[in-house]
Amino acid sequence: MTHNRLFLIGTVATLLAVSPGVAHADDGPSVPPGTEATASAPVELDPNDPDLKLPEGATLAEPKVLDIKQVVEDQSGDERREDTNSSVTFALQAEVLFGKDSAKLGGEAKSRIAAIADEIEKQNAARIRVFGFTDNLGSSAHGDVLSRKRANAVHGILAQELSDSDVTYEVRGYGEQYPIADNSTEAGRKKNRRVEISFPRTES
């Protein structure tokens, strides 16, 4: 599949000033990657606070980049790929996959999903998330149902393409939750009507 691509590359780098702690996985209900809650505002610190001074003879840990995000989007905006150190996410606009207000996949949709399945095999991913989203038009309940049906349809093609019993899937419909663009414009609503496929990337 060949597309002219417009590269939108964003880098998120976090510097660790002290020795890293232990990370814990959250086994509770998941949310789409990148939408996790963040702190509202940084806490103001007094640079002269004696508690901020290092003990005599102590040194800071070496700075470490915790995560880098790269975003590649088709010039048309129909497909977006996000890569981080730990995961890969593909977002396909609903218009590319389905007819209006439909969860029936078209021929082009199946070939695009098959290409994503190839990438999943390359990464040897064993856990795949398939999340559906809509814009905020119509009722919230309708959006929830439609987004889930669309996620199920994409999951069905992935399962056929991968045919690996060791792969587990998490399939959810979020409706109008977690918009990535402004719902007050049609261009924004088009971006929000999407299905996202995410999976862990191979450590290099």
Side-chain angles (χ1 to χ4, degrees):
M1 154 174 89
T2 303
H3 297 281
N4 293 325
R5 292 183 178 274
L6 173 65
F7 288 86
L8 307 175
I9 300 178
T11 301
V12 179
T14 305
L15 297 182
L16 189 65
V18 295
S19 298
V22 179
H24 298 281
D26 182 6
D27 294 327
S30 61
V31 298
T35 61
E36 297 83 356
T38 57
S40 56
V43 177
E44 290 188 12
L45 297 177
D46 178 4
N48 298 315
D49 189 331
D51 290 335
L52 296 178
K53 294 182 180 179
L54 288 174
E56 186 174 347
T59 59
L60 291 173
E62 288 296 319
K64 181 181 179 182
V65 176
L66 296 183
D67 203 7
I68 296 177
K69 178 186 287 187
Q70 176 174 294
V71 180
V72 180
E73 186 173 277
D74 281 352
Q75 193 167 9
S76 65
D78 290 343
E79 183 176 330
R80 186 181 76 253
R81 173 177 175 153
E82 294 184 7
D83 286 270
T84 70
N85 294 350
S86 59
S87 66
V88 180
T89 300
F90 287 90
L92 297 172
Q93 286 191 359
E95 280 80 353
V96 176
L97 302 175
F98 308 99
K100 185 176 180 181
D101 205 32
S102 170
K104 184 177 180 181
L105 288 163
E108 183 182 353
K110 293 178 181 178
S111 64
R112 289 198 178 207
I113 297 168
I116 295 173
D118 288 342
E119 179 66 19
I120 292 170
E121 289 184 328
K122 289 178 185 177
Q123 297 293 341
N124 198 27
R127 184 184 179 196
I128 303 167
R129 292 174 169 178
V130 185
F131 294 158
F133 306 86
T134 63
D135 57 30
N136 66 349
L137 298 181
S139 72
S140 176
H142 176 71
D144 291 344
V145 172
L146 180 61
S147 63
R148 177 58 190 252
K149 286 182 177 179
R150 287 176 168 177
N152 284 337
V154 172
H155 162 240
I157 300 301
L158 282 175
Q160 289 176 18
E161 293 290 331
L162 296 173
S163 62
D164 187 342
S165 59
D166 293 331
V167 174
T168 60
Y169 296 87
E170 182 181 353
V171 182
R172 295 173 183 262
Y174 285 100
E176 64 188 51
Q177 298 183 71
Y178 307 110
I180 58 174
D182 186 356
N183 268 315
S184 67
T185 67
E186 176 53 27
R189 291 191 293 270
K190 184 178 179 182
K191 285 183 175 290
N192 291 333
R193 299 189 294 265
R194 68 197 190 279
V195 174
E196 294 186 358
I197 303 167
S198 61
F199 47 91
R201 67 180 301 112
T202 303
E203 293 184 9
S204 54

